[in-house]
Amino acid sequence: MSRTHASSLLVTALPGLGGQLAARLSGEPGIVVTRTEGDRIAVVLETAAAHNSVATYQRIVDLQEVETTNVAYTGLAPEGMSRRSFLESLAVTTLALSAAGGGSQVQAAGKEKKWIPDSGATKWNKTVCRFCGTGCGVMAGVEDGKVVAVRGDELNPVNKGLLCVKGYHLPGILYGKDRLTTPLIRRNGKLQPATWDEALDLIASKMKTTVEKHGKNAIGMYGSGQWTIVEGYAALKLFKGGIGTDNVEANARLCMASAVTGFMTTFGSDEPMGCYDDFEHGDTFVLWGNNMAEMHPVLFSRILERRRKSSWVKIIDIGTRRTRTTRFADQYIPIKPGTDLALANGIAHLLVKNDAVDKAFVEEHVTLKKGLTQMGYGLEDGYQFKDKPESISFDDYVAFLADYTPEKVSATTGIPVSTIQELAKKYGDKSRGVVSLWCMGVNQHSRGTWMNNLIYNLHLLTGKISKKGSGPLSLTGQPSACGTVREVGTVAARLPADTFITNPEHRKKAAEIWGVPVENIPDKPGLHTIAMFRALARGDLKFVWVQCTNPFVTLPNQARYRKAFESGEAFMVVSDVYPTETTALASVVLPSSMWIEKEGLFGNTERRTQQWNKLVEPPGQARDDLWQIVEIGKRLGHGKLFETGDLPLHEGLFEEYRKFGLGIGKDLASYSQYVENRGLRWPVVNGVETRWRYREGEDPYVAEGKGIEFYKNKKTGGRAVIWARPYEPPAEIPDKDYPFWLTTGRVLEHWHTGTMTRRVPELFGAVDSAYIEMNPEDALTHGLEAGNQVRIKSRRGEMVLPLKLRERSIPEKGSVFIPFFDETKLVNYLTLDSFCPISKEPDYKKCAVRVEKA
C-alpha cells in the first residue's frame, strides 16, 4: 500500500488533548499540521514510495501519551479527494484501529505482504467479491492450492481495479481455524461428527416423515442473498416444483423486500431502471438514511470522483446520525427517526406548488393511486394484510399533499422549513440530474414499501428517471440478493423473472420448463420469513433447512423465535462454513464450501450478472450448497429435476433458469457469455446489455418513438404509478420509560453477523466487539462518559455495552446506535419484530430503549 502522493487526514483526540496531539505531530518528519480546531487536527502525510501510509498512521497513534483507543479517526478531508485516496484512507484506518485494538501492526502488515505474490507460480483468475451487493470484480491469486493474494479487477467496470478494506482481506475469510469440515448430527444433546451419507439420509428421512404426518407445508427452506444464482434456483425448483411447498424464503426478506414491493407496485417489475453509470453523470446525490461511505465505499468513491472533477456536484446526507458519509457530504440534514415519509410528501407538495412538475411526462407516463392506510404493524401471530389500490386523479393527489406544508413537515421531522424548501428546489431544478440512493434506512421500515413509493414519486413528478445521471437507485447489501433472491424468486409467492405462483399462466410455464405436473406447484403463498420462524416457534413448522445465513443473530426480537427449541421438537438443518449462533441450535450441521471453493454466479445492484470458476478446494469434507440440495433431491425421489443432459450441472441449470426471462424484458445472456466477460446488465438481447431500462435507444423493449415506456406494468398500460401514501408513525416510539430511539446497522470492517469478517485478524482487531454510540449531550445529561459500561433495555430484553462518544458516528439527540455484527452481544434481543404489511420486512431502525450506567 505504498503512496505516491500526499494525503490529508483528520484525527480527533479526547477533549482537552488536541493541543498536545498537534504539537507531537508537528515535530514528526513527513507530517504537516495544516489546521487545528479544538481537539480535531488536520494533517497532511507527505509520502514517498518507500513511506508506507499504514506505518505513518501507526506512528500517529503511537505518539499519544494516552491510550490509543482514545484517538479516533474521523475521515479524510474531502477537498480534492480521488477515488483511490478515499478507499485507501478507509483501509489505512482499519489497519490502524486493528493495531490500536490489541493487534500488532507488524503482524497486520506482514499478513498483507504475504498476500502479495512474489513468484511466477501464482495463477490469477477473475471472480466477484463475496461481501456486499456492489459486485466488485476481484482478481484472485492462487498458489499451491491456496488463495495467496487478491487485487481489484481493473477490467471490471464496477470497481475499476479498486476494493474496499473487506475486499482486500478476502483471502482471510477462507482460512479461519474453526472452519466446519465434517457433517455434525446432534446426539444426546451434543453435535457429533458424522458421515455425509448419515447426515443426508437423516435429513431426507426427517423431511419424508414430516410431510407424511403433517403435510408439505410443515417443512421450509430458508436461504440467502449469498446463495449463488444456481444454488437458489435448485432450492426453489426442489421445494416448489418437486416437494410442492411454497415455504421457500431467504434472508433478503430482512433487507430488500421493501425495495421489491416498491418496484413492483410502482413499475410492475423489480429492480432499478438505472445503473452505476449514473454516478459519473449526476449533479445532485441525495442519500436517504444511507451511510454509503462505509456500507458501499467503492460506489461512494465514484460519486466523490464525480464531484472532484465537477465542482457543481452536491452530496446531501439525510440521516439520524452523523457518519463518515456526513464528513464527505456537502449538506447534512438530520431527521427524526421514522419521519422520512412526511419529508418525501413535503418535497412533493413543494414540487407541485412551485410548478416544478414535468406535466407532459406525468400526463403521458404516469397514473395515480392510493391504497389502504392504518394497516397495523404485523406484531401478532397470523397477521394478514392485502392492499386495495384505488385510482385517483392528479387533483386528488394535490389535495392529499395539501397536508404536507413545509411548516407541518418541519414540525414532524425536525428539519427547518428553509432546508425542506432547498431540497425541493434541487429535485425540481430542470438543469440538474438527481440520483436518489438508499438501502436499509428506507427498506427496514414499518412502512418500507410506502417510502420506496414516495422516493419514486419525486422522480416521476420531475421526469428525472430512466435517463443518464437521473433516477432512483436502491442499493443492496448482499452479493446476490438481486440475482438469486429477487430474480430467481427464492421467497414466498414468487417464481423466476417476476412471475408468481398465484398466476395460473406462470405456474403453467414453470411446470413446462421443469417437466413436472402443474399440480405439483403450489397455488397459495407460503410463509414469509417472520411468519416462518413464528410458525417454527409455535410448533406448526416442524422442519427448516437454513443455508448461507445466520437467523438466530439476525431475526428481530430473538427471544420470541428461540422458543422454537425449548421443546426439542423443531428440526433445523444448517449449512454453513463456520460455527454460529444458528449452528449451535441445529439438529444437523452441514459443512459448506464458499466463494471460489465452488463455481458460481452473483447478480448485483445494477442488474449485472457475473460468473466465476472454482479456483481452490474446500477444506476437509466441505461441499457446496448446490451439491447438498441435489443429493437431498435424489433421496426424496426428485433426482430428475437436476438432470442436465450433456451440459455440466451448473451450466445446465442456469440455461434452464434463463428460459423464464427470455422475451419478457428479463433476458439473461448464456452461461458461456458470462464466463468470457465481466458481467452483463439485463435485459441482454443479442449479446447487448441494457444500461437504462424503459428508455428508447437503451432498452430494446421500448419501441421507436415511445421515448420512455414502463412496459412491464401491464395493468396500467405501461405507466408508472404515483402513490398517495401518508405519514404514519412507527410501531413503537420513545416515552418516559424508554426515552431513546434505538437504531441498528453495520460497520465498515464487518459484514452482517461477522461470521466471516470476525475470522480475519485485521478486521476483527479493528472492531472486535459491539458498542453503543449516543449523542455527547445525552451522555452528559445521563452522567455517562466514554468507556462506561452501559445497560440498554427495551421492552423485550437488555444488554450491557461500552459507550463510545464522538468516534465513528454521532447519533442525534434522543437516539442511540448499536452495530449487529457481534454474536456475543445480540442487539436483536432488544429490537421489535414489527414489519411493513406489504413487504413483510422488519423494522430494525426504530424501537424504544432506555440507557443507564451498568
Side-chain angles (χ1 to χ4, degrees), residues 673-694:
Q673 285 178 284
Y674 291 120
V675 172
E676 295 299 323
N677 59 49
R678 262 62 173 182
L680 295 167
R681 293 168 284 197
W682 60 261
V684 182
V685 178
N686 297 323
V688 180
E689 67 175 2
T690 298
R691 294 182 298 175
W692 289 278
R693 297 172 78 193
Y694 313 129

Side-chain angles (χ1 to χ4, degrees), residues 276-311:
Y276 296 163
D277 296 34
D278 288 324
F279 298 143
E280 279 73 56
H281 301 285
D283 302 306
T284 301
F285 297 90
V286 183
L287 279 57
W288 290 83
N290 180 23
N291 181 14
M292 201 172 175
E294 289 197 78
M295 303 304 103
H296 297 87
V298 170
L299 298 182
F300 193 60
S301 75
R302 289 176 64 166
I303 296 175
L304 293 180
E305 184 72 359
R306 165 67 171 163
R307 185 178 65 179
R308 187 178 72 86
K309 294 179 177 179
S310 307
S311 60

Side-chain angles (χ1 to χ4, degrees), residues 260-278:
V260 175
T261 52
F263 277 118
M264 294 299 298
T265 52
T266 297
F267 304 104
S269 180
D270 187 23
E271 298 200 42
M273 59 289 304
C275 62
Y276 296 163
D277 296 34
D278 288 324

Side-chain angles (χ1 to χ4, degrees), residues 96-112:
L97 290 173
S98 178
S104 167
Q105 185 60 48
V106 175
Q107 291 174 350
K111 178 65 69 67
E112 190 78 9

